[in-house]
Amino acid sequence: FFKLNPHLIIMSYYAMVTGTNAYSYSAANNCKFGSRLKSYRSDKKSIAAIAVGPSNYYAVACVGGAAWYCGPSGFKSKMESIDCSRIIHISFGYNDQWAITMKNGWVHASLLPDCLKKVNAHNGDIRYVSLCKHKKDWIVGWGRNGYATGGGLCSDLTSFLTSCNSSRKEIELVELGGGDNWFVKHSGGSKWSMNNDLSNWYKYEQSHSFTTISLW
């Protein structure tokens, strides 16, 4: 018999927003993520991008430029210096990595060399950079359905992405989470493997348009 040290338990956090600004999330108790989502919804601000990460890392960016965030110092400095109304995707990753994808396909980021190399090769045409708590779990997507990965993605996801390429579907977003959780938005709809609570919530909300998601 032994007792787990709660500081060694890595929590799985998530957040999703639909077109009505309805949302579902799980985040660290000590962060202000939930209260900010509630405030933006009350103010009728349209949320464009969200991100959850380790500890109290999170970000919310709205269509009109309002934003609230907490993360590594470099991330906070970049958010303060850019036009947040142009953000379409935000992701936190292993060892304080982060990536902010803009509407014009440009990415601001702090990344490990392999992922950064792919971003630099396609910067200006990128649709998403999705990171994860695991070092090799990352994906950079560009153009209609181009992408490169760190080699750590689960077989179900890689098989599905291959099928999207084969059928020439447009891959609009791939979001990664720990424990083989993932979400793909493509031209034919969406497919996912994620937390049961979030999955059931989204099934109910699918009558509304998808806006954004973050998995950790």
Side-chain angles (χ1 to χ4, degrees), residues 10 17 28 31 36 72 74 77 85 91-92 97 102 108 114 127 159 167 169 185 191 200 203 211:
I10 301 176
V17 178
C31 84
R36 187 52 50 177
S77 295
S85 70
S91 189
F92 295 114
Q97 292 180 96
M102 311 298 286
H108 305 284
D114 287 349
R127 305 192 71 163
S159 295
S167 58
K169 290 179 181 176
K185 180 73 172 66
K191 186 176 178 64
N200 291 334
K203 287 176 183 177
T211 299

Side-chain angles (χ1 to χ4, degrees), residues 138-199:
W138 56 263
I139 182 168
V140 178
W142 62 85
R144 180 174 174 79
N145 56 17
Y147 65 88
T149 77
L153 275 59
C154 67
S155 58
D156 286 348
L157 176 54
T158 54
S159 295
F160 181 68
L161 293 176
T162 299
S163 72
C164 285
N165 275 147
S166 299
S167 58
R168 299 183 179 180
K169 290 179 181 176
E170 183 177 7
I171 301 174
E172 300 172 18
L173 172 67
V174 180
E175 181 67 24
L176 304 179
D180 291 342
N181 288 321
W182 50 270
F183 179 93
V184 178
K185 180 73 172 66
H186 56 85
S187 54
S190 55
K191 186 176 178 64
W192 65 86
S193 173
M194 55 192 185
N195 174 280
N196 284 336
D197 290 340
L198 182 59
S199 179

Side-chain angles (χ1 to χ4, degrees), residues 80-92:
E80 290 168 1
S81 68
I82 62 177
D83 180 358
C84 290
S85 70
R86 307 295 296 171
I87 295 173
I88 60 170
H89 189 255
I90 301 171
S91 189
F92 295 114

Side-chain angles (χ1 to χ4, degrees), residues 101-102 104-107 119 121-128 140-144 146:
T101 306
M102 311 298 286
N104 64 358
W106 192 263
V107 171
V119 167
H122 299 279
N123 223 346
D125 190 33
I126 293 176
R127 305 192 71 163
Y128 56 85
V140 178
W142 62 85
R144 180 174 174 79

